[in-house]
Amino acid sequence: MKRIFIGTFIDESIFKNNSDANNPDFKSYDSIIDDFKNVCCGKWVERENLHFTYKFLGNTEERLIPNIKLAMSEILCEHNFNVELTGLGVFPKPAKPNVLFAKLIDKDKKLKNLHNEIENTMKKFGFEAEERRFTPHLTLMRIKSSLQPDFQDILNKYKKMHFASLDLLKVYLIESKLYKTGPVYTIL
């Protein structure tokens, strides 16, 4: 069994050289970490692991993986998009955040359409469709605790900040191995 998901890696360099006039001091992913370090505790996603997920498949029999890759051959490739990485948000709600994320604004609904195509393909392999609405996002931190209202003030600073425009995204089938030090991802 391999623990796998379908996702896209995002290079941390997208957070560099931000030209948002509302926050000229913003420089990088480290700026976000520095701003939040005194208002919340948790685990930041390692720079090399920044990604967003289309579908988490979980523990999957290894014998299925070649067939999944074959069925997804037209999906596991580069795609042209018009996606904006804009603003930070939290799940499930601002008063009790568990996840800090950067929002992926899918103007043309291409991410949503690709997600639906993935869901339909995976149904053929017995994977159930996700019940929750697809919300494209880039997880930055798993939050254990936060200091309110200070956390909310920092979140508001980034609420509408534009980080990057993404026009070319590559979709991968990815294995996730969990260790005490954090996950290790391998493209299959």
Side-chain angles (χ1 to χ4, degrees):
M1 297 286 251
K2 289 189 179 208
R3 184 176 189 266
I4 62 175
F5 66 94
I6 300 159
T8 293
F9 286 106
I10 301 291
D11 192 285
E12 68 137 337
S13 65
I14 63 167
F15 290 106
K16 293 180 181 172
N17 304 320
N18 182 291
S19 60
D20 192 317
N22 295 324
N23 191 0
D25 297 328
F26 179 80
K27 301 281 188 279
S28 66
Y29 188 50
D30 288 332
S31 297
I32 297 171
I33 293 171
D34 286 344
D35 279 350
F36 280 94
K37 71 180 174 188
N38 294 320
V39 297
C40 62
C41 296
K43 182 171 182 333
W44 288 93
V45 173
E46 298 85 359
R47 285 157 179 74
E48 66 274 11
N49 286 343
L50 288 170
H51 72 279
F52 64 92
T53 301
Y54 300 95
K55 182 161 184 68
F56 180 73
L57 302 176
N59 290 329
T60 304
E61 293 180 36
E62 288 187 46
R63 66 176 178 77
L64 291 178
I65 293 173
N67 292 333
I68 289 172
K69 288 175 72 173
L70 183 61
M72 302 256 308
S73 62
E74 292 185 23
I75 296 171
L76 299 174
C77 60
E78 288 184 342
H79 297 269
N80 291 313
F81 285 103
N82 181 16
V83 176
E84 301 295 324
L85 192 63
T86 301
L88 299 183
V90 295
F91 291 132
K93 55 187 177 182
K96 189 155 175 58
N98 293 331
V99 173
L100 175 68
F101 64 87
K103 301 172 190 173
L104 287 163
I105 309 301
D106 182 17
K107 294 178 179 180
D108 299 332
K109 305 293 183 218
K110 286 185 177 182
L111 284 177
K112 173 97 174 110
N113 293 340
L114 184 60
H115 171 261
N116 290 340
E117 191 176 341
I118 290 168
E119 286 284 13
N120 290 333
T121 302
M122 291 300 93
K123 280 182 192 175
K124 297 171 189 170
F125 291 93
F127 293 97
E128 292 184 21
E130 180 66 48
E131 291 181 19
R132 292 178 291 185
R133 182 175 58 91
F134 179 61
T135 305
H137 66 281
L138 179 64
T139 297
L140 302 178
M141 179 187 206
R142 302 244 179 243
I143 300 170
K144 291 182 181 176
S145 64
S146 64
L147 299 172
Q148 299 291 345
D150 297 339
F151 176 85
Q152 201 61 46
D153 291 342
I154 302 297
L155 186 63
N156 285 337
K157 171 182 171 180
Y158 287 97
K159 195 171 192 168
K160 294 186 178 181
M161 184 178 290
H162 181 263
F163 299 111
S165 297
L166 307 171
D167 55 6
L168 191 64
L169 299 173
K170 187 153 186 182
V171 180
Y172 297 102
L173 186 63
I174 304 166
E175 179 182 14
S176 172
K177 290 183 180 177
L178 302 178
Y179 298 97
K180 288 181 182 179
T181 55
V184 173
Y185 299 135
T186 305
I187 296 169
L188 299 175

